[in-house]
Amino acid sequence: ETGVTQTPRHLVMGMTNKKSLKCEQHLGHNAMYWYKQSAKKPLELMFVYNFKEQTENNSVPSRFSPECPNSSHLFLHLHTLQPEDSALYLCASSQSQRGPYEQYFGPGTRLTVT
Amino acid sequence: GQNIDQPTEMTATEGAIVQINCTYQTSGFNGLFWYQQHAGEAPTFLSYNVLDGLEEKGRFSSFLSRSKGYSYLLLKELQMKDSASYLCAVSLDAGKSTFGDGTTLTVKP
């Protein structure tokens, strides 16, 4: 248990669906991250929020839309996804983006797009 | 761009010592992290180096040479539970981290 929770753990969605991934951290951290982890590929940083402000968008397609209402919660809204978006989506948090500080990862959401 | 190289796979025997190497070429450097990731689980933090030299934490040690763009993770007295993927990550300026592909370590009895 790392102090970072993610729901759902598994998600299967069609290309026309809209769904949201949720992440919550109980560590009092100020930075939160979304990563994509595909088979045989390194972790890819998608978005970074520092003190609720988005500081990084790593050229992510607009069908992925993040939301950070407060420092403890992070969402990833999904719509009109493609099969190649199937992957493990990991949320992480750290004390601050301006570190370096180690990141604490949630268990991930295994997403399958059909 | 950023480039981090690690071996894809390694195999070692229970009780032995294994060294996992990581070389990097990045625009900016603010420290190097090692994470452990068991299959189907989240990565967990193992170690951090920002100065040259060796950092020891129990059975795990990590070494850094900034001039050579090189780090290694040393695992001693290997146990079966050490079978996992080991990720090398470089912290760049402005707080971004870039990850290597990971090294899958298999520990055999």
Side-chain angles (χ1 to χ4, degrees), chain B residues 25-94:
Chain B
Q25 290 175 305
T26 55
S27 56
F29 180 86
N30 211 16
L32 188 142
F33 292 91
W34 284 96
Y35 289 85
Q36 179 190 60
Q37 186 176 23
H38 284 100
E41 297 182 14
T44 55
F45 168 74
L46 284 178
S47 70
Y48 167 68
N49 295 71
V50 66
L51 299 176
D52 286 358
L54 190 68
E55 293 283 341
E56 297 188 76
K57 258 188 177 184
R59 293 190 300 115
F60 293 6
S61 303
S62 56
F63 172 84
L64 176 68
S65 169
R66 293 185 63 161
S67 61
K68 295 182 179 177
Y70 168 68
S71 173
Y72 66 73
L73 180 69
L74 193 71
L75 292 76
K76 303 175 187 174
E77 302 168 18
L78 279 175
Q79 302 175 8
M80 299 298 290
K81 67 178 182 180
D82 297 329
S83 292
S85 182
Y86 291 86
L87 309 176
C88 172
V90 172
S91 179
L92 308 174
D93 300 334

Short mmCIF file of all heavy atoms in Angstrom, two decimals, chain B residues 25-94:
data_model
loop_
_atom_site.label_atom_id
_atom_site.label_comp_id
_atom_site.label_asym_id
_atom_site.label_seq_id
_atom_site.Cartn_x
_atom_site.Cartn_y
_atom_site.Cartn_z
N GLN B 25 21.82 9.50 -21.42
CA GLN B 25 22.21 10.74 -22.11
C GLN B 25 20.97 11.61 -22.11
O GLN B 25 20.01 11.32 -22.83
CB GLN B 25 22.66 10.46 -23.55
CG GLN B 25 23.97 9.72 -23.66
CD GLN B 25 24.28 9.35 -25.11
OE1 GLN B 25 23.47 8.71 -25.78
NE2 GLN B 25 25.43 9.78 -25.59
N THR B 26 20.98 12.62 -21.28
CA THR B 26 19.78 13.44 -21.12
C THR B 26 20.14 14.92 -21.15
O THR B 26 21.27 15.30 -20.85
CB THR B 26 19.07 13.14 -19.78
OG1 THR B 26 20.00 13.31 -18.71
CG2 THR B 26 18.54 11.71 -19.75
N SER B 27 19.18 15.73 -21.51
CA SER B 27 19.35 17.18 -21.48
C SER B 27 18.96 17.64 -20.09
O SER B 27 17.79 17.89 -19.82
CB SER B 27 18.48 17.82 -22.55
OG SER B 27 17.13 17.44 -22.37
N GLY B 28 19.92 17.74 -19.24
CA GLY B 28 19.63 18.09 -17.85
C GLY B 28 19.72 16.87 -16.97
O GLY B 28 19.43 15.75 -17.38
N PHE B 29 20.13 17.09 -15.75
CA PHE B 29 20.23 15.99 -14.79
C PHE B 29 20.05 16.56 -13.40
O PHE B 29 20.74 17.50 -13.00
CB PHE B 29 21.59 15.30 -14.90
CG PHE B 29 21.76 14.15 -13.93
CD1 PHE B 29 21.31 12.88 -14.27
CD2 PHE B 29 22.34 14.35 -12.70
CE1 PHE B 29 21.45 11.82 -13.38
CE2 PHE B 29 22.49 13.30 -11.80
CZ PHE B 29 22.04 12.03 -12.15
N ASN B 30 19.11 15.94 -12.69
CA ASN B 30 18.80 16.41 -11.34
C ASN B 30 18.77 15.24 -10.36
O ASN B 30 18.18 15.35 -9.30
CB ASN B 30 17.46 17.14 -11.38
CG ASN B 30 17.39 18.24 -10.34
OD1 ASN B 30 18.41 18.66 -9.80
ND2 ASN B 30 16.19 18.69 -10.06
N GLY B 31 19.33 14.11 -10.78
CA GLY B 31 19.33 12.95 -9.91
C GLY B 31 18.84 11.72 -10.65
O GLY B 31 18.21 11.82 -11.72
N LEU B 32 19.14 10.55 -10.11
CA LEU B 32 18.75 9.30 -10.75
C LEU B 32 18.06 8.40 -9.73
O LEU B 32 18.54 8.24 -8.60
CB LEU B 32 19.99 8.59 -11.33
CG LEU B 32 19.71 7.36 -12.19
CD1 LEU B 32 20.68 7.30 -13.37
CD2 LEU B 32 19.76 6.08 -11.40
N PHE B 33 16.93 7.84 -10.14
CA PHE B 33 16.13 6.99 -9.27
C PHE B 33 16.15 5.55 -9.79
O PHE B 33 16.22 5.32 -11.00
CB PHE B 33 14.67 7.45 -9.26
CG PHE B 33 14.43 8.78 -8.61
CD1 PHE B 33 14.47 9.94 -9.36
CD2 PHE B 33 14.14 8.86 -7.27
CE1 PHE B 33 14.24 11.18 -8.77
CE2 PHE B 33 13.89 10.09 -6.66
CZ PHE B 33 13.95 11.24 -7.42
N TRP B 34 16.03 4.62 -8.88
CA TRP B 34 15.75 3.23 -9.22
C TRP B 34 14.42 2.84 -8.57
O TRP B 34 14.18 3.14 -7.39
CB TRP B 34 16.85 2.29 -8.72
CG TRP B 34 18.11 2.32 -9.53
CD1 TRP B 34 19.23 3.05 -9.30
CD2 TRP B 34 18.37 1.55 -10.72
NE1 TRP B 34 20.17 2.79 -10.27
CE2 TRP B 34 19.68 1.88 -11.14
CE3 TRP B 34 17.63 0.62 -11.46
CZ2 TRP B 34 20.27 1.32 -12.28
CZ3 TRP B 34 18.21 0.06 -12.58
CH2 TRP B 34 19.51 0.41 -12.98
N TYR B 35 13.59 2.17 -9.39
CA TYR B 35 12.32 1.67 -8.91
C TYR B 35 12.25 0.17 -9.18
O TYR B 35 12.83 -0.33 -10.14
CB TYR B 35 11.15 2.34 -9.64
CG TYR B 35 10.92 3.80 -9.31
CD1 TYR B 35 11.64 4.80 -9.96
CD2 TYR B 35 10.00 4.17 -8.34
CE1 TYR B 35 11.42 6.14 -9.67
CE2 TYR B 35 9.77 5.52 -8.04
CZ TYR B 35 10.49 6.48 -8.71
OH TYR B 35 10.28 7.81 -8.41
N GLN B 36 11.48 -0.52 -8.34
CA GLN B 36 11.22 -1.94 -8.53
C GLN B 36 9.74 -2.11 -8.89
O GLN B 36 8.88 -1.48 -8.27
CB GLN B 36 11.51 -2.71 -7.23
CG GLN B 36 11.25 -4.21 -7.31
CD GLN B 36 11.32 -4.85 -5.93
OE1 GLN B 36 10.57 -4.51 -5.01
NE2 GLN B 36 12.25 -5.80 -5.77
N GLN B 37 9.47 -2.95 -9.89
CA GLN B 37 8.08 -3.19 -10.27
C GLN B 37 7.84 -4.68 -10.44
O GLN B 37 8.34 -5.29 -11.38
CB GLN B 37 7.72 -2.44 -11.56
CG GLN B 37 6.23 -2.55 -11.92
CD GLN B 37 5.85 -1.74 -13.15
OE1 GLN B 37 6.70 -1.43 -13.99
NE2 GLN B 37 4.57 -1.39 -13.27
N HIS B 38 7.06 -5.27 -9.53
CA HIS B 38 6.66 -6.66 -9.68
C HIS B 38 5.55 -6.73 -10.72
O HIS B 38 4.79 -5.77 -10.90
CB HIS B 38 6.18 -7.24 -8.35
CG HIS B 38 7.30 -7.55 -7.41
ND1 HIS B 38 7.64 -6.72 -6.37
CD2 HIS B 38 8.15 -8.59 -7.37
CE1 HIS B 38 8.67 -7.25 -5.71
NE2 HIS B 38 9.01 -8.38 -6.31
N ALA B 39 5.46 -7.87 -11.38
CA ALA B 39 4.47 -8.05 -12.44
C ALA B 39 3.07 -7.74 -11.94
O ALA B 39 2.64 -8.24 -10.89
CB ALA B 39 4.54 -9.48 -12.97
N GLY B 40 2.38 -6.88 -12.66
CA GLY B 40 1.01 -6.55 -12.31
C GLY B 40 0.88 -5.56 -11.17
O GLY B 40 -0.24 -5.29 -10.70
N GLU B 41 1.99 -5.03 -10.70
CA GLU B 41 1.93 -4.09 -9.57
C GLU B 41 2.54 -2.74 -9.96
O GLU B 41 3.11 -2.58 -11.03
CB GLU B 41 2.68 -4.68 -8.36
CG GLU B 41 2.05 -5.97 -7.85
CD GLU B 41 2.77 -6.50 -6.62
OE1 GLU B 41 3.57 -5.76 -6.02
OE2 GLU B 41 2.52 -7.66 -6.27
N ALA B 42 2.40 -1.77 -9.05
CA ALA B 42 2.95 -0.44 -9.30
C ALA B 42 4.45 -0.41 -9.01
O ALA B 42 4.94 -1.16 -8.18
CB ALA B 42 2.23 0.57 -8.41
N PRO B 43 5.18 0.47 -9.67
CA PRO B 43 6.59 0.67 -9.32
C PRO B 43 6.71 1.20 -7.89
O PRO B 43 5.88 1.99 -7.44
CB PRO B 43 7.07 1.71 -10.32
CG PRO B 43 6.08 1.68 -11.44
CD PRO B 43 4.78 1.31 -10.81
N THR B 44 7.75 0.76 -7.18
CA THR B 44 8.02 1.28 -5.85
C THR B 44 9.45 1.80 -5.80
O THR B 44 10.36 1.21 -6.40
CB THR B 44 7.82 0.23 -4.75
OG1 THR B 44 8.62 -0.91 -5.06
CG2 THR B 44 6.37 -0.21 -4.65
N PHE B 45 9.66 2.88 -5.09
CA PHE B 45 10.95 3.55 -5.00
C PHE B 45 11.96 2.68 -4.27
O PHE B 45 11.68 2.11 -3.23
CB PHE B 45 10.75 4.88 -4.26
CG PHE B 45 12.02 5.54 -3.83
CD1 PHE B 45 12.83 6.17 -4.77
CD2 PHE B 45 12.40 5.55 -2.50
CE1 PHE B 45 13.99 6.80 -4.38
CE2 PHE B 45 13.56 6.17 -2.10
CZ PHE B 45 14.37 6.80 -3.03
N LEU B 46 13.17 2.59 -4.85
CA LEU B 46 14.25 1.85 -4.21
C LEU B 46 15.36 2.78 -3.72
O LEU B 46 15.81 2.67 -2.58
CB LEU B 46 14.87 0.84 -5.18
CG LEU B 46 14.10 -0.43 -5.49
CD1 LEU B 46 14.88 -1.26 -6.52
CD2 LEU B 46 13.86 -1.24 -4.24
N SER B 47 15.85 3.65 -4.63
CA SER B 47 17.01 4.45 -4.26
C SER B 47 17.09 5.70 -5.11
O SER B 47 16.46 5.79 -6.17
CB SER B 47 18.30 3.64 -4.41
OG SER B 47 18.55 3.42 -5.78
N TYR B 48 17.92 6.64 -4.63
CA TYR B 48 18.13 7.90 -5.33
C TYR B 48 19.59 8.31 -5.18
O TYR B 48 20.16 8.23 -4.10
CB TYR B 48 17.22 8.97 -4.71
CG TYR B 48 17.54 10.38 -5.11
CD1 TYR B 48 17.35 10.80 -6.42
CD2 TYR B 48 18.05 11.29 -4.19
CE1 TYR B 48 17.65 12.09 -6.80
CE2 TYR B 48 18.35 12.59 -4.56
CZ TYR B 48 18.15 12.99 -5.87
OH TYR B 48 18.44 14.27 -6.25
N ASN B 49 20.20 8.72 -6.30
CA ASN B 49 21.57 9.23 -6.29
C ASN B 49 21.59 10.58 -7.00
O ASN B 49 21.01 10.71 -8.08
CB ASN B 49 22.52 8.29 -7.04
CG ASN B 49 22.68 6.94 -6.40
OD1 ASN B 49 21.76 6.13 -6.40
ND2 ASN B 49 23.86 6.69 -5.85
N VAL B 50 22.28 11.53 -6.41
CA VAL B 50 22.49 12.80 -7.11
C VAL B 50 23.99 13.14 -7.14
O VAL B 50 24.45 13.79 -8.07
CB VAL B 50 21.67 13.94 -6.48
CG1 VAL B 50 22.16 14.25 -5.07
CG2 VAL B 50 21.69 15.17 -7.36
N LEU B 51 24.73 12.65 -6.15
CA LEU B 51 26.18 12.84 -6.14
C LEU B 51 26.86 11.54 -6.56
O LEU B 51 26.31 10.46 -6.40
CB LEU B 51 26.64 13.22 -4.73
CG LEU B 51 26.05 14.52 -4.17
CD1 LEU B 51 26.52 14.72 -2.74
CD2 LEU B 51 26.42 15.71 -5.05
N ASP B 52 28.06 11.66 -7.09
CA ASP B 52 28.82 10.48 -7.47
C ASP B 52 29.08 9.61 -6.24
O ASP B 52 29.33 10.11 -5.14
CB ASP B 52 30.17 10.88 -8.08
CG ASP B 52 30.02 11.44 -9.48
OD1 ASP B 52 28.88 11.48 -9.99
OD2 ASP B 52 31.04 11.84 -10.07
N GLY B 53 29.05 8.32 -6.45
CA GLY B 53 29.37 7.41 -5.36
C GLY B 53 28.29 6.38 -5.13
O GLY B 53 27.36 6.23 -5.92
N LEU B 54 28.47 5.68 -4.05
CA LEU B 54 27.62 4.54 -3.72
C LEU B 54 26.68 4.88 -2.57
O LEU B 54 27.10 5.42 -1.56
CB LEU B 54 28.52 3.36 -3.33
CG LEU B 54 27.87 1.99 -3.16
CD1 LEU B 54 27.39 1.47 -4.50
CD2 LEU B 54 28.88 1.01 -2.54
N GLU B 55 25.40 4.54 -2.76
CA GLU B 55 24.41 4.66 -1.69
C GLU B 55 23.96 3.25 -1.32
O GLU B 55 23.55 2.49 -2.19
CB GLU B 55 23.19 5.45 -2.18
CG GLU B 55 23.44 6.91 -2.48
CD GLU B 55 23.53 7.75 -1.23
OE1 GLU B 55 23.04 7.30 -0.17
OE2 GLU B 55 24.09 8.86 -1.30
N GLU B 56 24.07 2.92 -0.04
CA GLU B 56 23.73 1.56 0.39
C GLU B 56 22.48 1.56 1.23
O GLU B 56 22.31 2.40 2.13
CB GLU B 56 24.89 0.95 1.17
CG GLU B 56 26.15 0.78 0.33
CD GLU B 56 27.24 0.00 1.01
OE1 GLU B 56 27.12 -1.23 1.09
OE2 GLU B 56 28.20 0.62 1.48
N LYS B 57 21.60 0.58 0.93
CA LYS B 57 20.35 0.45 1.68
C LYS B 57 20.09 -1.03 1.86
O LYS B 57 19.42 -1.66 1.05
CB LYS B 57 19.20 1.04 0.86
CG LYS B 57 18.72 2.39 1.24
CD LYS B 57 17.46 2.68 0.44
CE LYS B 57 16.85 3.98 0.81
NZ LYS B 57 15.59 4.23 0.11
N GLY B 58 20.64 -1.59 2.92
CA GLY B 58 20.41 -3.00 3.16
C GLY B 58 21.02 -3.85 2.07
O GLY B 58 22.20 -3.70 1.73
N ARG B 59 20.22 -4.73 1.46
CA ARG B 59 20.75 -5.60 0.41
C ARG B 59 20.91 -4.87 -0.91
O ARG B 59 21.54 -5.40 -1.83
CB ARG B 59 19.80 -6.79 0.21
CG ARG B 59 19.70 -7.76 1.37
CD ARG B 59 18.93 -9.01 1.00
NE ARG B 59 17.56 -8.74 0.58
CZ ARG B 59 17.10 -8.97 -0.65
NH1 ARG B 59 17.89 -9.43 -1.60
NH2 ARG B 59 15.83 -8.72 -0.93
N PHE B 60 20.35 -3.66 -1.03
CA PHE B 60 20.40 -2.93 -2.28
C PHE B 60 21.38 -1.76 -2.17
O PHE B 60 21.40 -1.05 -1.16
CB PHE B 60 19.01 -2.39 -2.65
CG PHE B 60 17.99 -3.45 -3.00
CD1 PHE B 60 18.26 -4.79 -2.85
CD2 PHE B 60 16.74 -3.08 -3.48
CE1 PHE B 60 17.32 -5.76 -3.17
CE2 PHE B 60 15.79 -4.03 -3.80
CZ PHE B 60 16.08 -5.37 -3.65
N SER B 61 22.17 -1.55 -3.22
CA SER B 61 23.06 -0.40 -3.30
C SER B 61 22.91 0.20 -4.69
O SER B 61 22.66 -0.53 -5.65
CB SER B 61 24.52 -0.81 -3.09
OG SER B 61 24.71 -1.47 -1.87
N SER B 62 23.11 1.50 -4.79
CA SER B 62 23.09 2.13 -6.11
C SER B 62 24.29 3.05 -6.23
O SER B 62 24.67 3.74 -5.28
CB SER B 62 21.79 2.90 -6.33
OG SER B 62 21.60 3.85 -5.32
N PHE B 63 24.86 3.05 -7.43
CA PHE B 63 26.08 3.81 -7.71
C PHE B 63 25.82 4.78 -8.84
O PHE B 63 25.06 4.48 -9.76
CB PHE B 63 27.21 2.84 -8.10
CG PHE B 63 28.45 3.53 -8.59
CD1 PHE B 63 29.39 4.02 -7.71
CD2 PHE B 63 28.67 3.71 -9.96
CE1 PHE B 63 30.53 4.67 -8.16
CE2 PHE B 63 29.81 4.35 -10.42
CZ PHE B 63 30.74 4.83 -9.52
N LEU B 64 26.48 5.93 -8.77
CA LEU B 64 26.34 6.93 -9.83
C LEU B 64 27.69 7.52 -10.21
O LEU B 64 28.49 7.83 -9.31
CB LEU B 64 25.41 8.06 -9.37
CG LEU B 64 25.24 9.23 -10.33
CD1 LEU B 64 24.49 8.80 -11.60
CD2 LEU B 64 24.51 10.39 -9.66
N SER B 65 27.90 7.67 -11.52
CA SER B 65 29.02 8.44 -12.04
C SER B 65 28.42 9.44 -13.02
O SER B 65 28.03 9.07 -14.14
CB SER B 65 30.04 7.55 -12.75
OG SER B 65 30.98 8.36 -13.45
N ARG B 66 28.35 10.69 -12.63
CA ARG B 66 27.74 11.70 -13.49
C ARG B 66 28.60 11.97 -14.72
O ARG B 66 28.07 12.18 -15.81
CB ARG B 66 27.54 12.99 -12.70
CG ARG B 66 26.51 12.88 -11.60
CD ARG B 66 26.25 14.19 -10.92
NE ARG B 66 25.67 15.16 -11.85
CZ ARG B 66 25.02 16.25 -11.48
NH1 ARG B 66 24.85 16.50 -10.20
NH2 ARG B 66 24.55 17.10 -12.37
N SER B 67 29.91 11.95 -14.56
CA SER B 67 30.79 12.24 -15.69
C SER B 67 30.67 11.17 -16.78
O SER B 67 30.83 11.46 -17.96
CB SER B 67 32.24 12.34 -15.23
OG SER B 67 32.66 11.11 -14.67
N LYS B 68 30.33 9.96 -16.38
CA LYS B 68 30.20 8.86 -17.34
C LYS B 68 28.74 8.61 -17.75
O LYS B 68 28.48 7.78 -18.62
CB LYS B 68 30.78 7.57 -16.77
CG LYS B 68 32.28 7.64 -16.53
CD LYS B 68 32.82 6.32 -16.01
CE LYS B 68 34.33 6.41 -15.81
NZ LYS B 68 34.89 5.16 -15.24
N GLY B 69 27.81 9.30 -17.13
CA GLY B 69 26.41 9.05 -17.44
C GLY B 69 26.03 7.62 -17.14
O GLY B 69 25.38 6.94 -17.96
N TYR B 70 26.40 7.14 -15.97
CA TYR B 70 26.32 5.70 -15.66
C TYR B 70 25.88 5.49 -14.22
O TYR B 70 26.32 6.19 -13.30
CB TYR B 70 27.70 5.08 -15.89
CG TYR B 70 27.88 3.68 -15.37
CD1 TYR B 70 27.22 2.60 -15.94
CD2 TYR B 70 28.75 3.44 -14.30
CE1 TYR B 70 27.41 1.32 -15.47
CE2 TYR B 70 28.95 2.16 -13.82
CZ TYR B 70 28.29 1.11 -14.41
OH TYR B 70 28.47 -0.17 -13.94
N SER B 71 25.01 4.51 -14.06
CA SER B 71 24.58 4.10 -12.74
C SER B 71 24.42 2.59 -12.73
O SER B 71 24.25 1.96 -13.78
CB SER B 71 23.23 4.75 -12.39
OG SER B 71 22.71 4.25 -11.18
N TYR B 72 24.51 2.02 -11.56
CA TYR B 72 24.12 0.62 -11.43
C TYR B 72 23.40 0.38 -10.13
O TYR B 72 23.58 1.12 -9.14
CB TYR B 72 25.31 -0.35 -11.57
CG TYR B 72 26.37 -0.30 -10.49
CD1 TYR B 72 26.13 -0.82 -9.21
CD2 TYR B 72 27.63 0.22 -10.75
CE1 TYR B 72 27.10 -0.79 -8.22
CE2 TYR B 72 28.62 0.25 -9.78
CZ TYR B 72 28.35 -0.25 -8.51
OH TYR B 72 29.32 -0.22 -7.54
N LEU B 73 22.58 -0.64 -10.14
CA LEU B 73 21.87 -1.11 -8.95
C LEU B 73 22.45 -2.47 -8.61
O LEU B 73 22.52 -3.36 -9.47
CB LEU B 73 20.37 -1.24 -9.23
CG LEU B 73 19.50 -1.72 -8.07
CD1 LEU B 73 19.44 -0.65 -6.98
CD2 LEU B 73 18.09 -2.05 -8.56
N LEU B 74 22.90 -2.63 -7.38
CA LEU B 74 23.52 -3.87 -6.94
C LEU B 74 22.60 -4.56 -5.93
O LEU B 74 22.19 -3.94 -4.94
CB LEU B 74 24.87 -3.58 -6.29
CG LEU B 74 25.79 -4.75 -6.03
CD1 LEU B 74 26.35 -5.27 -7.36
CD2 LEU B 74 26.95 -4.35 -5.11
N LEU B 75 22.24 -5.78 -6.22
CA LEU B 75 21.38 -6.54 -5.31
C LEU B 75 22.20 -7.71 -4.75
O LEU B 75 22.71 -8.54 -5.50
CB LEU B 75 20.16 -7.09 -6.04
CG LEU B 75 19.10 -6.12 -6.54
CD1 LEU B 75 19.56 -5.38 -7.79
CD2 LEU B 75 17.79 -6.83 -6.80
N LYS B 76 22.29 -7.76 -3.43
CA LYS B 76 23.06 -8.82 -2.78
C LYS B 76 22.13 -9.86 -2.16
O LYS B 76 20.96 -9.59 -1.90
CB LYS B 76 23.94 -8.23 -1.67
CG LYS B 76 24.90 -7.17 -2.12
CD LYS B 76 25.63 -6.58 -0.92
CE LYS B 76 26.47 -5.39 -1.33
NZ LYS B 76 27.08 -4.71 -0.15
N GLU B 77 22.68 -11.05 -1.92
CA GLU B 77 21.91 -12.12 -1.25
C GLU B 77 20.53 -12.26 -1.87
O GLU B 77 19.50 -12.16 -1.20
CB GLU B 77 21.79 -11.84 0.25
CG GLU B 77 23.12 -11.70 0.95
CD GLU B 77 22.97 -11.13 2.38
OE1 GLU B 77 21.85 -11.17 2.92
OE2 GLU B 77 23.97 -10.65 2.91
N LEU B 78 20.53 -12.47 -3.17
CA LEU B 78 19.28 -12.49 -3.91
C LEU B 78 18.27 -13.46 -3.32
O LEU B 78 18.60 -14.57 -2.91
CB LEU B 78 19.54 -12.86 -5.37
CG LEU B 78 20.03 -11.74 -6.28
CD1 LEU B 78 20.35 -12.30 -7.66
CD2 LEU B 78 18.98 -10.64 -6.39
N GLN B 79 17.02 -13.01 -3.34
CA GLN B 79 15.90 -13.84 -2.90
C GLN B 79 14.92 -13.98 -4.06
O GLN B 79 14.90 -13.16 -4.98
CB GLN B 79 15.22 -13.19 -1.69
CG GLN B 79 16.15 -12.95 -0.52
CD GLN B 79 15.49 -12.21 0.63
OE1 GLN B 79 14.29 -11.99 0.64
NE2 GLN B 79 16.31 -11.81 1.62
N MET B 80 14.11 -15.02 -3.99
CA MET B 80 13.15 -15.27 -5.07
C MET B 80 12.23 -14.06 -5.27
O MET B 80 11.87 -13.72 -6.40
CB MET B 80 12.32 -16.52 -4.78
CG MET B 80 13.15 -17.80 -4.65
SD MET B 80 14.04 -18.19 -6.17
CE MET B 80 12.67 -18.66 -7.22
N LYS B 81 11.90 -13.39 -4.18
CA LYS B 81 10.99 -12.25 -4.27
C LYS B 81 11.61 -11.05 -4.99
O LYS B 81 10.91 -10.08 -5.29
CB LYS B 81 10.54 -11.82 -2.87
CG LYS B 81 11.66 -11.24 -2.02
CD LYS B 81 11.14 -10.78 -0.66
CE LYS B 81 12.24 -10.16 0.18
NZ LYS B 81 11.75 -9.71 1.51
N ASP B 82 12.92 -11.11 -5.25
CA ASP B 82 13.57 -10.01 -5.99
C ASP B 82 13.31 -10.12 -7.49
O ASP B 82 13.69 -9.21 -8.25
CB ASP B 82 15.08 -10.03 -5.74
CG ASP B 82 15.42 -9.77 -4.28
OD1 ASP B 82 14.66 -9.04 -3.61
OD2 ASP B 82 16.44 -10.32 -3.81
N SER B 83 12.68 -11.19 -7.93
CA SER B 83 12.30 -11.30 -9.34
C SER B 83 11.28 -10.21 -9.65
O SER B 83 10.19 -10.18 -9.08
CB SER B 83 11.67 -12.68 -9.63
OG SER B 83 12.62 -13.71 -9.52
N ALA B 84 11.66 -9.29 -10.53
CA ALA B 84 10.84 -8.11 -10.81
C ALA B 84 11.49 -7.35 -11.95
O ALA B 84 12.57 -7.72 -12.43
CB ALA B 84 10.72 -7.21 -9.58
N SER B 85 10.85 -6.27 -12.35
CA SER B 85 11.45 -5.35 -13.30
C SER B 85 12.06 -4.19 -12.53
O SER B 85 11.47 -3.71 -11.56
CB SER B 85 10.37 -4.85 -14.27
OG SER B 85 10.93 -4.00 -15.24
N TYR B 86 13.25 -3.76 -12.94
CA TYR B 86 13.94 -2.67 -12.26
C TYR B 86 14.07 -1.51 -13.23
O TYR B 86 14.64 -1.64 -14.32
CB TYR B 86 15.30 -3.15 -11.73
CG TYR B 86 15.11 -4.12 -10.60
CD1 TYR B 86 14.92 -5.47 -10.86
CD2 TYR B 86 15.04 -3.69 -9.28
CE1 TYR B 86 14.69 -6.38 -9.84
CE2 TYR B 86 14.81 -4.58 -8.24
CZ TYR B 86 14.63 -5.93 -8.53
OH TYR B 86 14.39 -6.82 -7.51
N LEU B 87 13.52 -0.38 -12.82
CA LEU B 87 13.43 0.80 -13.70
C LEU B 87 14.43 1.85 -13.25
O LEU B 87 14.46 2.23 -12.08
CB LEU B 87 12.02 1.40 -13.64
CG LEU B 87 10.85 0.46 -13.86
CD1 LEU B 87 9.53 1.21 -13.68
CD2 LEU B 87 10.90 -0.15 -15.25
N CYS B 88 15.21 2.31 -14.21
CA CYS B 88 16.13 3.43 -13.99
C CYS B 88 15.42 4.68 -14.49
O CYS B 88 14.85 4.68 -15.59
CB CYS B 88 17.40 3.14 -14.80
SG CYS B 88 18.59 4.47 -14.87
N ALA B 89 15.42 5.74 -13.70
CA ALA B 89 14.72 6.97 -14.09
C ALA B 89 15.60 8.17 -13.79
O ALA B 89 16.14 8.29 -12.69
CB ALA B 89 13.39 7.08 -13.35
N VAL B 90 15.75 9.04 -14.76
CA VAL B 90 16.54 10.25 -14.58
C VAL B 90 15.61 11.42 -14.33
O VAL B 90 14.64 11.62 -15.08
CB VAL B 90 17.42 10.53 -15.82
CG1 VAL B 90 18.10 11.89 -15.71
CG2 VAL B 90 18.45 9.42 -15.98
N SER B 91 15.89 12.15 -13.28
CA SER B 91 15.13 13.36 -13.00
C SER B 91 15.77 14.50 -13.78
O SER B 91 16.95 14.81 -13.59
CB SER B 91 15.14 13.66 -11.51
OG SER B 91 14.44 14.85 -11.23
N LEU B 92 14.99 15.09 -14.67
CA LEU B 92 15.51 16.18 -15.48
C LEU B 92 15.27 17.50 -14.76
O LEU B 92 14.62 17.56 -13.72
CB LEU B 92 14.79 16.19 -16.84
CG LEU B 92 14.78 14.87 -17.59
CD1 LEU B 92 13.92 14.97 -18.83
CD2 LEU B 92 16.19 14.44 -17.96
N ASP B 93 15.77 18.57 -15.31
CA ASP B 93 15.46 19.89 -14.76
C ASP B 93 13.96 20.10 -14.87
O ASP B 93 13.29 19.52 -15.68
CB ASP B 93 16.21 20.96 -15.55
CG ASP B 93 17.71 20.77 -15.47
OD1 ASP B 93 18.17 20.18 -14.47
OD2 ASP B 93 18.41 21.16 -16.41
N ALA B 94 13.44 20.95 -14.04
CA ALA B 94 12.00 21.27 -13.99
C ALA B 94 11.16 20.10 -13.49
O ALA B 94 9.96 20.09 -13.68
CB ALA B 94 11.48 21.72 -15.35
#
